[in-house]
Amino acid sequence: MTRSYDVVVAGAGMAGILTALGLTARGARVLLVEERRLGGGQSGQSHGYLHRGYAFGPNEPRLPLLFDRARDHWRALTAGLAPVTAGSVVSFSNPNALRRAQEHWQASGLPVRPVEPPPWLGDGFLASFRSEEETYDFGPVLRRLGELTASTGIDLARGSISRTADEPGGALSELVRPDGVTETIASRAVVVAAGAGAPGILARSGLPPVVRCRKSFMLVLRGHLPVLSAVFPEREEHGLFVAGRTGHESGTTWLVSDFQSFDSARGAGGQLAGWWAHRVLSTLRGVVRPGPLAGVRLISGYAAVKSGLLPSSGTVADEFSHDFLGGRAVVVSPSKLTLAPLAAESAVKSVSGVLGIPFTGVEWDRVTAPVSPPPSPSAAADSVLVTSAGELWETDLHALKDPDLVGDLPGIAALSSLYAH
């Protein structure tokens, strides 16, 4: 069976659904394909930072400007949603890292102000600063976008796009449904925003496996903890992001991640996850006072597999999207969730050119404005996307219990060197 659309969008994360909404607002007939649920991949696993560029340093000189552009888009997308934390504390224990950061902030025009060390911070830190990086719980944003897809004429399909082939005037895509049935979809253009959810397409791109399929981890600590947003950016000493959440049964939740990602093309096993989690806990004991950590009641975590294009400069600030098949296929790959609106805008621009639609930019406050009438309860129930995104924090990190992982751990510098190769 063959169906026909103007555009097929594979992947209903933040970038995919914004692309679908942006194209639908321009009159395109769009099929949005999602294997699991809205935000069920990387978008639903974010720590929620709306980055401004404080923690990335001089190796990413374009990021502050791009993040500022993205921030303008996020103002519309987060309208009415209060941030979990209104700013982040950035703390340094290394004088060289402190100097580099201050030079980067001054050159980039990033506003900072020195603050007294917060009471939960451990000893040995040279300086602390307050940044303007808010953190959000993106669940409500994802749920609202899901409701919009059900009420703006976007067709929804559960499954995955396993293959896309060129044909005169467009492309043919194979949609594999959960029951294994394959359907052929004809379209004038295809947008792949499925992250690592489209391994077949990414394998044909010729990109190195470490770029196509990267794995990072998020450690989750629940208990009686302060609500905070903190960055400890010394990468060679395993710098960390810590973001707080409230409203859970166990009190407060900390999401802890770092600057590292790993090659998961060979299916990195539990030992790597356990090594990483052990390292993070060791680092936390060095940067947070014993009092707050004594309030931890539950430790869990999850692995986030993501894909990325190969930036020409080696930074995350380069390509948001990459065209194939003469522009009829677009791979969308924002390296940070903060950049997802810009990546979607880039995809909408590319596809608009293929469809012959004038493009003058995307105003997300108009694209995501509430529609009338709202979808009926039955329509919402039938939708594959109008469900709670959830936090996806429930995957146990079983490797933490592995007795083989309690010994000495190699330095993060050694791992960074391996990753660079």
Side-chain angles (χ1 to χ4, degrees):
M1 182 174 64
T2 302
R3 287 189 286 167
S4 180
Y5 291 88
D6 291 321
V7 187
V8 172
V9 178
M14 193 70 75
I17 198 167
L18 287 177
T19 299
L21 288 168
L23 290 169
T24 301
R26 284 161 171 75
R29 186 168 179 241
V30 176
L31 175 68
L32 182 61
V33 179
E34 172 56 44
E35 188 172 16
R36 291 169 291 183
R37 60 181 179 180
L38 182 146
Q42 183 63 20
S43 293
Q45 299 172 339
S46 171
H47 44 42
Y49 280 97
L50 282 189
H51 291 292
R52 295 288 308 282
Y54 290 94
F56 292 90
N59 293 331
E60 303 280 7
R62 293 181 57 212
L63 274 179
L65 179 60
L66 288 172
F67 283 147
D68 271 346
R69 283 179 50 204
R71 195 185 200 194
D72 292 338
H73 292 296
W74 279 108
R75 286 194 180 99
L77 296 171
T78 58
L81 181 64
V84 178
T85 58
S88 301
V89 174
V90 188
S91 298
F92 297 86
S93 59
N94 181 291
N96 291 328
L98 172 61
R99 175 184 53 79
R100 288 193 301 268
Q102 289 181 307
E103 291 174 352
H104 168 62
W105 296 345
Q106 183 176 11
S108 304
L110 289 169
V112 292
R113 58 183 177 88
V115 294
E116 290 296 320
W120 46 262
L121 187 65
D123 297 325
F125 280 86
L126 299 173
S128 295
F129 301 86
R130 171 69 71 175
S131 78
E132 293 189 356
E133 291 188 340
E134 305 103 337
T135 63
Y136 282 85
D137 179 356
F138 286 125
V141 178
L142 289 166
R143 285 189 286 273
R144 178 167 172 259
L145 293 178
E147 292 165 358
L148 284 169
T149 64
S151 55
T152 55
I154 297 174
D155 281 359
L156 309 171
R158 185 185 294 277
S160 61
I161 299 296
S162 63
R163 187 170 184 270
T164 293
D166 194 7
E167 76 159 1
L172 290 177
S173 301
E174 291 183 356
L175 167 62
V176 181
R177 298 186 178 277
D179 59 5
V181 174
T182 299
E183 179 183 351
T184 300
I185 307 294
S187 63
R188 298 170 63 188
V190 176
V191 176
V192 180
I201 294 175
L202 292 171
R204 295 179 179 91
S205 69
L207 300 175
V210 72
V211 178
R212 296 197 313 260
C213 202
R214 294 178 293 121
K215 177 175 286 186
S216 61
F217 300 109
M218 189 81 75
L219 196 65
V220 182
L221 284 69
R222 289 193 179 96
H224 300 290
L225 298 163
V227 180
L228 58 88
S229 172
V231 179
F232 312 98
E234 286 89 355
R235 290 165 178 76
E236 296 303 307
E237 298 297 329
H238 203 183
L240 300 179
F241 295 94
V242 182
R245 295 288 182 269
T246 60
H248 300 286
E249 292 181 1
S250 57
T252 304
T253 297
W254 279 7
L255 298 177
V256 188
S257 63
D258 65 359
F259 296 89
Q260 305 299 321
S261 61
F262 312 91
D263 182 356
S264 64
R266 295 187 179 91
Q271 188 167 7
L272 176 59
W275 174 89
W276 177 90
H278 194 166
R279 177 73 181 185
V280 168
L281 289 175
S282 299
T283 303
L284 271 178
R285 293 189 185 101
V287 300
V288 177
R289 292 189 181 279
L293 289 181
V296 175
R297 296 290 178 264
L298 175 66
I299 297 175
S300 62
Y302 58 81
V305 179
K306 49 192 176 182
S307 68
L309 301 176
L310 182 63
S312 59
S313 72
T315 78
V316 302
D318 274 303
E319 294 90 356
F320 294 132
S321 62
H322 195 87
D323 294 352
F324 296 92
L325 304 182
R328 290 189 296 276
V330 181
V331 177
V332 180
S333 184
S335 50
K336 294 291 178 185
L337 186 61
T338 310
L339 299 173
L342 298 184
E345 183 181 52
S346 176
V348 171
K349 180 180 181 180
S350 294
V351 174
S352 294
V354 172
L355 301 181
I357 300 173
F359 179 84
T360 58
V362 178
E363 297 180 15
W364 295 115
D365 53 346
R366 295 185 180 181
V367 171
T368 61
V371 293
S372 180
S376 65
S378 59
D382 292 338
S383 168
V384 300
L385 296 180
V386 184
T387 59
S388 171
E391 287 80 18
L392 300 181
W393 292 340
E394 314 310 327
T395 303
D396 291 332
L397 208 51
H398 295 292
L400 274 175
K401 304 172 185 178
D402 190 334
D404 295 333
L405 297 175
V406 298
D408 293 336
L409 300 171
I412 200 70
L415 182 64
S416 298
S417 177
L418 288 174
Y419 172 67
H421 291 284

